[in-house]
């Protein structure tokens, strides 16, 4: 296999596959020439081009071999033999590129995965929104003060002044260096302390014995403990969890176009991102004729597409046809984010139409983005109860249709923030200002995340989702 990290064209090409390179180069330029929503206007476009050139020559963060391995794992999810759990910050910040912050977020991801593995009796593929989740789509170009809106640390600063909010292409280079540091931490934790099932279980045991509402889940956690003791008792090696994969929204195309490998292993040659294993296209940039979907078509990585309540079944089938032309299970994840009050009505015709097309996609529930609201004090928040209700509706829909509810996509942190309301002993609206720290959307805190995972475990274990029970 020949890979070339020297990309895009214009940089030296060290491969014998020049014609493949030329074809892909042409297709990439054509994709990027399409209209692209949500891109910054760099005040100095020459400087931006120079940064893109510099980044193109940098060291990739992930390899095509790793990304293929993830594709393989996701194939099992698509076939109903595994689950996908994806979680992390809405917006990573440069300031939070720290070991404690990543340890907290990845730790709660792994603890949730342990619980879901037990409840569903299936392996859980853990994917972090980390090491590159720096660009944010925004619904308005200016904020409440009339300043250019914050678009994520990779583009501008959240500080409320005009100079700080001006898009700065040097931030792409800084983002790469932060992603690189974060990636090293992810790798270290994934095969170190966050691989140790027994240690994760001990944290869960402390949670159920000390957290409000934890006692309700004592029996399940005790059962997991017995399972672990059984495995070590019969002489299995201490149970270890697998990889932690990285992901972010492929939003800022000047960044995404850098560090592309050529991957000739798949059904047709493609570009494998060297920036993350899994990339998704957001609700605001999924225009079928736009640059983002055309870019995703060229990628060899597993791809997600967010689908909101305005998505038609026909559009969903078009995403499947365009983004999974070779019918590779695990290649495409449709991430529904319908809102708890719409999911039961909007999702079924989409699932039916895609199923009728004969393709196996991963159905993933994002119960966060359809349930955002703003309080009277101006805090963007989400109710734990709405989040749980959307997951419940998602499970009901898939049970009724006989399809596999393959995954969850959460915005959650292991830190003790007050951003979402509710859950057992969770913050009220009045509590939100105490530790409201997110750079963008509200995240579940550690207790809310574990409460949610354990309650979703009940729904899985019960075999039928009972919405009345879940809404309690
Ligand atoms: C996000 O995942 O942070 C996001 C912006 O989601 P969506 O595209 O679904 O609104
Ligand atoms: Mn978000």
């Amino acid at each position: 296999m020949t890979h070339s990290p020297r990309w895009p064209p214009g940089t030296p090409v060290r491969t014998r596959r020049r014609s493949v390179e030329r074809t892909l180069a042409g297709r990439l330029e054509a994709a990027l020439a399409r209209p692209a929503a949500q891109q910054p206007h760099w005040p100095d476009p020459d400087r931006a081009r120079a940064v893109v050139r510099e980044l193109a020559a940098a060291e990739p963060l992930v390899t095509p071999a790793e990304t293929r391995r993830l594709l393989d794992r996701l194939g099992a999810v698509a076939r109903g033999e595994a689950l996908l759990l994806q979680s992390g910050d809405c917006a990573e910040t440069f300031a939070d590129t720290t070991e404690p912050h990543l340890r907290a977020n990845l730790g709660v991801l792994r603890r949730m995965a342990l619980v879901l593995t037990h409840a569903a009796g299936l392996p859980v593929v853990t994917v972090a929104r980390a090491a590159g989740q720096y660009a944010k789509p925004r619904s308005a170009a200016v904020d409440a003060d009339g300043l250019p809106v914050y678009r994520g640390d990779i583009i501008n600063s959240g500080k409320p002044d005009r100079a700080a909010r001006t898009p700065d292409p040097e931030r792409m280079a800084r983002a790469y260096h932060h992603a690189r540091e974060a990636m090293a931490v992810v790798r270290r934790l994934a095969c170190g302390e966050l691989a140790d099932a027994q240690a994760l279980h001990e944290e869960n045991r402390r949670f159920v014995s000390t957290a409000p509402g934890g006692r309700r889940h004592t029996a399940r956690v005790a059962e997991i403990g017995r399972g672990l003791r059984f495995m070590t008792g019969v002489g299995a090696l201490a149970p270890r969890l697998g990889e932690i994969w990285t992901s972010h929204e492929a939003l800022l195309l000047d960044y995404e176009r850098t560090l592309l490998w050529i991957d000739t292993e798949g059904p047709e040659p493609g570009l494998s991102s060297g920036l993350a294993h899994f990339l998704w296209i957001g609700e605001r940039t999924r225009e079928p004729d736009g640059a983002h979907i055309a870019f995703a078509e060229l990628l060899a990585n597993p791809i997600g597409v967010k689908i909101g309540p305005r998505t038609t079944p026909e559009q969903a089938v078009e995403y499947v046809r365009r983004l999974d032309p070779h019918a590779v299970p695990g290649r495409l994840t449709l991430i529904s984010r319908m809102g708890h009050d719409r999911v039961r009505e909007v999702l079924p015709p989409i699932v039916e139409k895609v199923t009728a097309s004969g393709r196996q996609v991963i159905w993933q529930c994002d119960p966060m983005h359809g349930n955002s609201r703003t309080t009277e004090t101006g805090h963007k928040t989400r109710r734990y109860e709405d989040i749980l209700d959307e997951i419940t509706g998602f499970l009901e829909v898939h049970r009724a249709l006989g399809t596999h509810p393959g995954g969850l996509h959460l915005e959650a942190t292991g830190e003790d923030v007050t951003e979402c309301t509710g859950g057992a002993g969770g913050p009220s609206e009045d509590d939100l200002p105490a530790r409201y720290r997110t750079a963008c959307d509200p995240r579940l805190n550690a207790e809310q995340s574990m409460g949610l995972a354990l309650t979703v475990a009940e729904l899985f274990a019960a075999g039928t989702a009972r919405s009345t029970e879940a809404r309690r």
Side-chain angles (χ1 to χ4, degrees):
M1 183 168 43
T2 313
H3 296 303
S4 170
R6 298 293 172 195
W7 195 267
T11 53
V13 168
R14 290 180 200 151
T15 169
R16 282 173 284 116
R17 309 188 67 88
R18 281 184 180 276
S19 69
V20 171
E21 288 252 347
R22 264 197 298 274
T23 309
L24 284 170
R27 291 183 65 199
L28 179 64
E29 290 312 315
L32 297 176
R34 287 172 181 250
Q38 299 280 343
Q39 303 306 291
H41 296 288
W42 305 117
D44 181 353
D46 284 343
R47 190 58 213 137
R49 275 190 288 274
V51 173
V52 171
R53 271 197 306 276
E54 270 164 41
L55 277 182
E59 196 65 35
L61 306 176
V62 303
T63 67
E66 290 172 348
T67 295
R68 299 219 136 267
R69 210 158 58 235
L70 172 61
L71 189 61
D72 189 59
R73 302 280 192 280
L74 292 178
V77 178
R79 289 190 299 272
E81 298 157 7
L83 294 177
L84 163 61
L85 180 65
Q86 192 169 3
S87 171
D89 298 324
C90 173
E92 284 183 287
T93 61
F94 294 167
D96 268 343
T97 314
T98 66
E99 171 121 10
H101 178 68
L102 286 158
R103 166 69 181 79
N105 283 16
L106 301 173
V108 83
L109 167 71
R110 298 290 248 190
R111 290 169 56 202
M112 287 191 279
L114 188 64
V115 165
L116 293 175
T117 303
H118 178 262
L122 295 172
V124 177
V125 180
T126 51
V127 179
R129 286 175 65 115
Q133 177 53 22
Y134 301 114
K136 295 313 301 173
R138 304 312 303 262
S139 30
V142 290
D143 69 10
D145 303 321
L147 291 170
V149 76
Y150 171 60
R151 290 184 181 277
D153 276 10
I154 196 169
I155 292 169
N156 59 6
S157 157
K159 270 214 322 241
D161 77 63
R162 194 162 289 277
R165 290 283 175 87
T166 304
D168 174 4
E170 303 294 341
R171 283 180 166 268
M172 287 192 285
R174 289 175 63 195
Y176 164 78
H177 290 287
H178 282 275
R180 196 180 154 121
E181 260 179 65
M183 192 75 218
V185 176
V186 172
R187 289 184 190 283
R188 197 161 62 240
L189 291 171
C191 61
E193 60 178 294
L194 295 184
D196 182 343
Q198 186 66 45
L200 294 164
H201 169 68
E202 291 305 325
E203 289 188 51
N204 286 349
R205 236 162 45 97
R206 271 196 298 282
F207 170 80
V208 291
S209 59
T210 59
R215 296 246 316 259
R216 170 173 156 199
H217 303 291
T218 309
R220 172 169 306 282
V221 172
E223 176 99 6
I224 296 174
R226 274 194 296 279
L228 292 171
R229 280 197 301 282
F230 170 75
M231 287 181 71
T232 34
V234 294
L237 291 174
R240 292 176 68 76
L241 280 72
E243 289 98 329
I244 297 177
W245 310 95
T246 57
S247 71
H248 63 258
E249 178 175 349
L251 178 71
L252 177 60
L253 294 172
D254 280 340
Y255 185 67
E256 300 303 329
R257 67 176 298 163
T258 67
L259 297 185
L260 294 166
W261 304 82
I262 299 242
D263 184 352
T264 53
E265 293 273 288
E268 69 175 309
L271 299 169
S272 186
S273 175
L275 292 168
H277 302 112
F278 180 99
L279 295 167
W280 76 88
I281 306 299
E283 168 74 357
R284 291 172 189 76
T285 50
R286 61 179 173 83
E287 164 59 42
D289 294 328
H292 291 84
I293 294 290
F295 175 69
E297 279 185 292
L298 295 175
L299 292 177
N301 304 64
I303 297 292
V305 180
K306 292 285 196 95
I307 51 173
R310 288 187 311 278
T311 314
T312 63
E314 291 69 29
Q315 276 172 349
V317 169
E318 182 177 354
Y319 292 132
V320 174
R321 192 178 51 74
R322 299 251 316 264
L323 295 171
D324 182 25
H326 302 286
V328 176
R331 155 69 177 174
L332 182 62
T333 298
L334 291 177
I335 313 166
S336 65
R337 27 91 82 224
M338 302 303 183
H340 74 108
D341 49 350
R342 304 293 307 279
V343 61
R344 293 170 178 84
E345 150 213 354
V346 183
L347 188 57
I350 295 176
V351 175
E352 283 176 309
K353 187 112 186 162
V354 169
T355 305
S357 80
R359 297 294 166 80
Q360 278 184 317
V361 301
I362 295 174
W363 297 104
Q364 191 187 32
C365 173
D366 166 357
M368 314 300 294
H369 289 88
N371 296 309
S372 306
R373 39 195 292 281
T374 304
T375 65
E376 278 171 20
T377 50
H379 290 89
K380 190 173 182 184
T381 190
R382 292 157 174 159
R383 294 191 185 104
Y384 173 92
E385 291 70 24
D386 294 347
I387 292 167
L388 178 56
D389 188 39
E390 179 153 355
I391 299 172
T392 307
F394 171 84
L395 292 174
E396 286 169 4
V397 168
H398 285 289
R399 291 226 166 89
L401 296 175
T403 40
H404 179 52
L408 285 180
H409 187 124
L410 304 175
E411 288 183 340
T413 174
E415 292 174 356
D416 182 24
V417 300
T418 53
E419 297 171 6
C420 292
T421 61
S428 68
E429 284 194 10
D430 292 342
D431 298 327
L432 292 179
R435 291 179 304 283
Y436 193 94
R437 297 189 184 131
T438 180
C440 194
D441 289 341
R443 301 161 293 180
L444 294 166
N445 63 26
E447 282 190 1
Q448 290 168 323
S449 303
M450 288 317 301
L452 186 72
L454 284 157
T455 307
V456 171
E458 284 176 358
L459 297 177
F460 262 110
T464 45
R466 284 184 298 274
S467 53
T468 42
E469 152 98 11
R471 284 199 191 98
R472 251 197 345 218

